[in-house]
């Protein structure tokens, strides 16, 4: 690949949503970010409820257990609320990004052996291939992480363009 390759993406919001919002990503309590914290908080809450039901049977020496489990429950609740806030903010940012993509007329990728450029309505971001740390390629999308982060759905381009981009990434980014 000596020359420059240009790929024009056909932006369809549903193609991007299908990828960004897959796998309970937007669920406040059961997204990959919050699921463990939700389960832990529920288990600690159940233990606390059981302790409260049997608090009359606890001796004064063992009453500290109730305070300790109450503290753990409070701590878990705080961590869970922080994670829920993080998921909520992420969802709002993605929605804002997707809304901005709908109004764009040009979404184009240009690359050669040295550079990778993304042009969205004359807003151009240029990177050397070495500025990307990692990538993920599967049948649904290609994602790049580094100086700039990108995600390109396979449905947004032709099969030949998708294969060409996939080969260029595998050739130029060392993981």
């Amino acid at each position: 690949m000596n020359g420059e390759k240009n790929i024009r993406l056909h932006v369809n919001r549903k193609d991007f949503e299908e990828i960004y919002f897959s796998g309970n990503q937007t669920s406040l309590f059961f997204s990959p970010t919050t699921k463990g914290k939700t389960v832990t908080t529920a288990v600690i809450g159940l233990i606390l409820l059981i302790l409260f039901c049997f608090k009359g049977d606890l001796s004064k020496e063992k009453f500290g257990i109730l305070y300790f489990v109450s503290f753990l429950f409070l701590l878990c609740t705080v961590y869970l609320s922080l994670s829920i806030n993080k998921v909520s903010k992420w969802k709002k940012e993605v929605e804002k990004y997707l809304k901005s993509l709908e109004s764009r007329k040009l979404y184009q990728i240009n690359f050669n052996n040295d550079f990778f450029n993304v042009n969205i309505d004359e807003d151009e971001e240029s990177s050397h291939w070495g500025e990307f740390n990692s990538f993920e390629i599967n049948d649904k999308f290609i994602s790049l992480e580094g100086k700039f982060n990108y995600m390109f759905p396979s449905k947004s381009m032709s099969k030949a363009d998708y294969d060409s981009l996939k080969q260029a990434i595998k050739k130029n980014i060392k993981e």
Side-chain angles (χ1 to χ4, degrees):
M1 177 178 67
N2 293 332
E4 186 170 298
K5 175 76 174 158
N6 298 317
I7 299 174
R8 186 175 180 132
L9 277 81
H10 308 285
V11 178
N12 182 356
R13 183 180 175 134
K14 291 196 184 295
D15 295 341
F16 284 84
E17 284 177 344
E18 186 178 298
I19 295 164
Y20 278 120
F21 299 143
S22 66
N24 279 339
Q25 291 286 356
T26 59
S27 172
L28 293 180
F29 292 100
F30 295 104
S31 73
T33 305
T34 58
K35 185 176 183 178
K37 293 175 181 84
T38 300
V39 170
T40 303
T41 303
V43 168
I44 298 292
L46 183 63
I47 292 170
L48 184 61
L49 182 66
I50 291 169
L51 283 174
F52 265 118
C53 290
F54 295 108
K55 75 177 180 181
D57 295 339
L58 292 175
S59 65
K60 287 190 177 192
E61 293 83 27
K62 295 183 180 177
F63 214 73
I65 294 172
L66 186 63
Y67 292 121
F68 178 72
V69 173
S70 297
F71 173 74
L72 282 179
F73 180 71
L74 179 64
L75 194 63
C76 288
T77 305
V78 168
Y79 281 126
L80 177 61
S81 67
L82 290 172
S83 291
I84 288 172
N85 188 35
K86 183 178 176 182
V87 169
S88 179
K89 281 184 178 181
W90 174 83
K91 183 179 177 182
K92 285 178 185 175
E93 288 175 12
V94 169
E95 290 286 344
K96 182 180 173 185
Y97 171 69
L98 293 177
K99 189 172 180 139
S100 75
L101 275 184
E102 287 179 324
S103 64
R104 303 298 178 125
K105 295 185 182 359
L106 175 70
Y107 193 157
Q108 187 171 337
I109 304 169
N110 306 314
F111 57 90
N112 60 26
N113 286 332
D114 300 319
F115 293 99
F116 183 84
N117 299 319
V118 174
N119 185 357
I120 303 175
D121 281 348
E122 306 306 322
D123 291 332
E124 192 168 334
E125 296 174 343
S126 182
S127 304
H128 289 279
W129 284 109
E131 294 174 330
F132 292 106
N133 330 22
S134 64
F135 64 90
E136 181 179 350
I137 298 175
N138 59 40
D139 293 337
K140 294 185 177 195
F141 67 91
I142 293 174
S143 71
L144 297 169
E145 293 184 19
K147 177 181 171 184
F148 299 108
N149 296 328
Y150 302 108
M151 191 276 300
F152 308 113
S154 61
K155 293 180 180 179
S156 296
M157 61 188 93
S158 71
K159 176 80 172 131
D161 286 342
Y162 190 76
D163 290 338
S164 174
L165 180 59
K166 189 170 29 173
Q167 294 304 321
I169 289 170
K170 286 179 180 178
K171 177 183 172 193
N172 292 301
I173 299 176
K174 311 295 182 234
E175 278 195 301

